Amino acid sequence: MHTMTPEAIIAALDLSPHPEGGYYRETYRAELALPADALGRDYAGPRNACTGIYYLLTSDTFSAMHRVRSDELFHFYTGDPVELLRLRADGSGDVVTLGTDLLAGLQPQALVPAGDWQGAALAPGGTFALMGCTVAPGFAFEDFDLGGRADLQARWPEFATHIAQRTREPAKD
């Protein structure tokens, strides 16, 4: 039997560092392309109907606060629980914990609707988590925005600690 470690997963799945943090590899990009004028969300050009990736978080990484123009569905595969922070345009937000212990309330999937801010980190004490993300319409880096700590904390002060844990710049005094 093999020991599953972050390094073994990175090698086995040929993952690369992701700009938001963690490691990833695109596994699917639909051949079907949707024209920008059919998307209705101010896309700058056509998008593939759907994309999918593997996504790995480790104890020394996190998914930095960001938003994408499309819906993003997370799928939990293996490892330790992940706390996914979701901040909505209406000023509300929540933290959903992804994992396999369904009877403890963990969720195997979680949706981040288009345009909502999101960031993820392992639950305290975690070593790694392997997930998948499906994006529809398909992901394009021009539809991706990183969030600033001070701006997000000002808009969602009740989630200030979670935001600080998922942003890289120092907190402003």
Side-chain angles (χ1 to χ4, degrees):
M1 179 176 240
H2 299 283
T3 301
M4 194 163 343
T5 64
E7 297 78 15
I9 294 168
I10 290 166
L13 297 177
D14 192 27
L15 305 179
S16 300
H18 195 294
E20 78 190 40
Y23 301 87
Y24 82 111
R25 179 172 59 89
E26 185 172 280
T27 58
Y28 176 70
R29 184 166 288 273
E31 288 186 29
L32 176 65
L34 306 172
D37 61 356
L39 297 172
R41 290 194 186 123
D42 194 32
Y43 289 82
R47 293 291 179 270
N48 300 87
C50 182
T51 56
I53 64 169
Y54 286 129
Y55 185 65
L56 176 73
L57 284 176
T58 61
S59 60
D60 60 348
T61 64
F62 58 87
S63 169
M65 293 302 299
H66 67 283
R67 62 183 173 187
V68 296
R69 190 167 278 132
S70 301
D71 288 344
E72 185 167 6
L73 184 62
F74 284 81
H75 315 267
F76 189 90
Y77 298 138
T78 192
D80 300 307
V82 172
E83 296 176 343
L84 174 64
L85 172 62
R86 301 181 294 188
L87 303 175
R88 296 175 192 82
D90 68 4
S92 67
D94 65 3
V95 177
V96 62
T97 304
L98 295 160
T100 57
D101 192 347
L102 306 181
L103 299 181
L106 304 187
Q107 300 296 310
Q109 292 184 352
L111 174 68
V112 179
D116 284 2
W117 290 99
Q118 62 175 295
L122 292 173
T127 304
F128 73 88
L130 178 63
M131 297 173 286
C133 296
T134 304
V135 180
F139 179 81
F141 274 103
E142 56 265 32
D143 299 333
F144 171 89
D145 295 312
L146 277 173
R149 179 178 295 172
D151 292 340
L152 293 172
Q153 287 177 327
R155 180 122 189 248
W156 290 275
E158 65 274 26
F159 295 101
T161 300
H162 289 287
I163 293 166
Q165 294 167 343
R166 293 161 177 79
T167 50
R168 289 187 172 77
E169 76 253 19
K172 295 181 180 173
D173 296 328

